[in-house]
Amino acid sequence: MDQSSPSSSSTTAATTPLLHHQQPWWRRRFQMKNSLSDELSGAVGDLGTFIPIVLTLTLVSHLDLSTTLIFTAFYNIITGLLFQIPMPVQPMKSIAAVAVSETPHLTTSQIATAGASTAAVLLLLGVTGLMSTLYRLLPLPVVRGVQLSQGLSFAFSAIKYIRYNQDFIASKSTTPRAWLGLDGLVLALSSLLFLVIFTGSGDYNDRNESDDDDQPRRRNSKRLRIMGSIPAALIVFLLGLVLCFIRDPSIFGDLKFGPSKIGFLSITWNDWKVGFLKGAVPQIPLSVLNSVIAVCKLSGDLFPDRAELSAAKVSASVGAMNLVGCWFGAMPVCHGAGGLAGQYRFGARSGWSVVFLGIGKLVIGLVFGNSFVRILNQFPIGILGVLLLFAGIELAMASRDMSSKEESFVMLVCAAVSLTGSSAALGFVCGILLFLLLKLRKMECSGLGFSKFKFESAVDAETSSIP
């Protein structure tokens, strides 16, 4: 017994730490991967695209803001807990662009049918597994080209937001922005400088601080860690909210409490026809590429220690969200690689960031309802441009892993066509064709020249061996 006690004690010592550190499955699944301040800061990372589109649809197409906020709040909460990453919920951009550019503008019912039609296609692709097959077959350089074009498109729009006043109803830039004022260039540039100083290039959180052996490097690492703990994006966003009331104090009197009444839309056959042909047809390829394919690939890049998202599940998620909300007049939404990049850029590392965002939307939708549009209408556009700029650059930087000149060539052609033609689908098709052409060129060259090359090499070798 005495001889066995050391063995048993050592076994206990070896197993006790494992038992002590083992956490319940629910705690491992739902724990925050970053500090609370960073998750909150990351939550506002995609609002640079969300706010302008929602505001435009509300003013032009009479979108029910309260209903949209409430439904997108539930989308945020559910997808955050389901996917365990900062999965964004963003407007379907092509449908929004068509809704405000068409004459006459698309009605709320036509916008809803466009979203529902797109959702039905994505849900079908997801549940049948066709989306997963497509995801496996797509060449990486083409996906990177789509991401690069989308990121640069966001960045270009962000620069316009910063430099010029915006008429969202007409979807165009107007006069150059004044230097001074509550939405001036000084404010936008100061916000930009503040974010650069406190977030850097976005990689300070991923440093391996144990490698810093010398004292100066440890001090510098500690300083960066302290600066990184400040929720810079959240501070900038809250500053914008405060400035809304300073710019127009009459907002206080216009706010009305309580949500709008939620009910089913009245939809006609003509609404289905117009919504599908004008809204869904251009939106479907964009949703497949940017809302599913690019999101899954980007999630693998940003979170290499976690299992890559299933393209089928992401596609089914987009379909389910809209097949529920669009019938009630909620804005058609999708997941977007730009939103994921923006939230990650400002500190979001888990699904809790979008859960917090969803809670905020839910509170606003229930308390202020449609009157919240008065606040959004006064939000400094320059600050939105700054947030959008960081999101776009983060998304574009995902394309930096191309390892050969051929891959970079395909990626850049795909991006260039997408940007010039303002169509991700067109750039995608050109990228696929170019990729196949380059592969075919290699096959032809090897097939025609292999035997000759081998023969000549053998003759050369034999000749060289003769004295």
Side-chain angles (χ1 to χ4, degrees):
M1 294 291 294
D2 294 337
Q3 292 177 353
S4 63
S5 58
S7 175
S8 61
S9 62
S10 62
T11 303
T12 303
T15 57
T16 300
L18 294 176
L19 294 173
H20 178 72
H21 289 292
Q22 189 174 10
Q23 296 177 336
W25 67 268
W26 57 268
R27 189 169 183 179
R28 293 195 306 271
R29 181 177 179 86
F30 298 121
Q31 66 180 351
M32 282 193 291
K33 308 296 183 183
N34 216 344
S35 66
L36 177 61
S37 62
D38 284 333
E39 296 288 355
L40 289 173
S41 183
V44 302
D46 72 334
L47 295 184
T49 55
F50 185 85
I51 291 178
I53 295 177
V54 171
L55 178 61
T56 302
L57 289 177
T58 302
L59 296 177
V60 175
S61 299
H62 306 292
L63 179 79
D64 192 295
L65 179 61
S66 175
T67 301
T68 292
L69 289 175
I70 292 172
F71 273 93
T72 56
F74 285 118
Y75 301 157
N76 279 129
I77 295 171
I78 294 173
T79 56
L81 296 176
L82 177 64
F83 293 107
Q84 303 174 60
I85 67 169
M87 178 66 80
V89 174
Q90 295 186 307
M92 288 188 176
K93 300 175 184 62
S94 182
I95 291 178
V98 170
V100 299
S101 61
E102 285 289 321
T103 304
H105 301 307
L106 297 190
T107 64
T108 304
S109 297
Q110 291 166 350
I111 293 173
T113 57
S117 301
T118 304
V121 173
L122 291 180
L123 183 62
L124 179 64
L125 292 175
V127 298
T128 59
L130 292 175
M131 186 65 79
S132 295
T133 303
L134 179 63
Y135 180 70
R136 288 193 301 268
L137 295 177
L138 284 181
L140 180 61
V142 177
V143 178
R144 292 295 190 232
V146 173
Q147 290 177 313
L148 178 61
S149 65
Q150 191 69 52
L152 291 178
S153 178
F154 282 174
F156 295 157
S157 297
I159 297 300
K160 292 179 182 178
Y161 286 3
I162 295 172
R163 292 189 58 194
Y164 301 99
N165 295 307
Q166 300 296 313
D167 184 353
F168 287 132
I169 296 179
S171 300
K172 65 178 183 180
S173 302
T174 56
T175 58
R177 191 173 301 282
W179 280 94
L180 302 178
L182 297 179
D183 190 15
L185 277 174
V186 171
L187 173 66
L189 296 178
S190 299
S191 301
L192 177 64
L193 182 63
F194 177 78
L195 290 175
V196 170
I197 291 175
F198 284 94
T199 68
S201 60
D203 61 352
Y204 58 87
N205 282 330
D206 301 322
R207 287 175 51 112
N208 186 359
E209 296 165 11
S210 62
D211 295 334
D212 297 336
D213 297 327
D214 56 307
Q215 190 66 23
R217 287 176 65 88
R218 282 198 297 270
R219 285 198 301 266
N220 185 56
S221 177
K222 182 179 180 180
R223 178 178 60 84
L224 292 176
R225 190 167 61 250
I226 294 174
M227 294 174 65
S229 65
I230 297 175
L234 181 61
I235 292 174
V236 170
F237 178 73
L238 292 177
L239 172 64
L241 284 181
V242 172
L243 291 177
C244 291
F245 295 93
I246 299 177
R247 295 181 67 190
D248 187 1
S250 65
I251 291 177
F252 289 102
D254 294 336
L255 290 179
K256 298 179 181 179
F257 296 100
S260 62
K261 184 178 179 180
I262 298 178
F264 284 101
L265 292 177
S266 175
I267 300 177
T268 65
W269 170 248
N270 184 66
D271 292 331
W272 281 105
K273 183 175 67 173
V274 173
F276 178 77
L277 294 177
K278 294 187 177 182
V281 170
Q283 178 64 51
I284 289 172
L286 180 62
S287 292
V288 170
L289 295 174
N290 189 53
S291 302
V292 181
I293 303 296
V295 165
C296 293
K297 184 59 65 177
L298 184 63
S299 71
D301 299 333
L302 299 180
F303 306 104
D305 58 328
R306 309 179 206 177
E308 193 171 80
L309 291 179
S310 165
K313 290 182 179 179
V314 175
S315 183
S317 171
V318 176
M321 288 190 302
N322 291 284
L323 287 178
V324 171
C326 285
W327 302 105
F328 299 93
M331 175 184 62
V333 295
C334 58
H335 304 306
L340 176 58
Q343 289 168 333
Y344 181 91
R345 176 62 176 78
F346 291 120
R349 295 295 183 273
S350 71
W352 283 107
S353 61
V354 290
V355 170
F356 296 143
L357 177 61
I359 294 173
K361 289 180 180 178
L362 186 60
V363 171
I364 292 173
L366 293 175
V367 174
F368 297 108
N370 286 331
S371 65
F372 190 70
V373 71
R374 288 283 288 113
I375 299 177
L376 292 184
N377 203 24
Q378 293 299 321
F379 197 95
I381 304 302
I383 289 182
L384 291 179
V386 170
L387 295 175
L388 182 59
L389 176 63
F390 280 87
I393 295 300
E394 184 70 28
L395 177 58
M397 284 196 297
S399 62
R400 67 186 184 276
D401 62 346
M402 294 292 92
S403 58
S404 68
K405 189 172 183 178
E406 179 180 304
E407 290 180 339
S408 300
F409 179 53
V410 174
M411 176 191 70
L412 292 173
V413 169
C414 178
V417 175
S418 298
L419 289 171
T420 305
S422 300
S423 171
L426 180 60
F428 169 78
V429 171
C430 291
I432 289 291
L433 293 177
L434 179 60
F435 178 83
L436 294 176
L437 182 61
L438 292 174
K439 293 300 180 184
L440 181 63
R441 175 179 177 272
K442 284 186 176 181
M443 291 174 60
E444 289 179 344
C445 288
S446 61
L448 293 174
F450 178 72
S451 299
K452 182 179 179 182
F453 174 78
K454 184 175 181 181
F455 174 78
E456 289 178 350
S457 299
V459 171
D460 291 342
E462 185 177 351
T463 304
S464 62
S465 63
I466 299 177

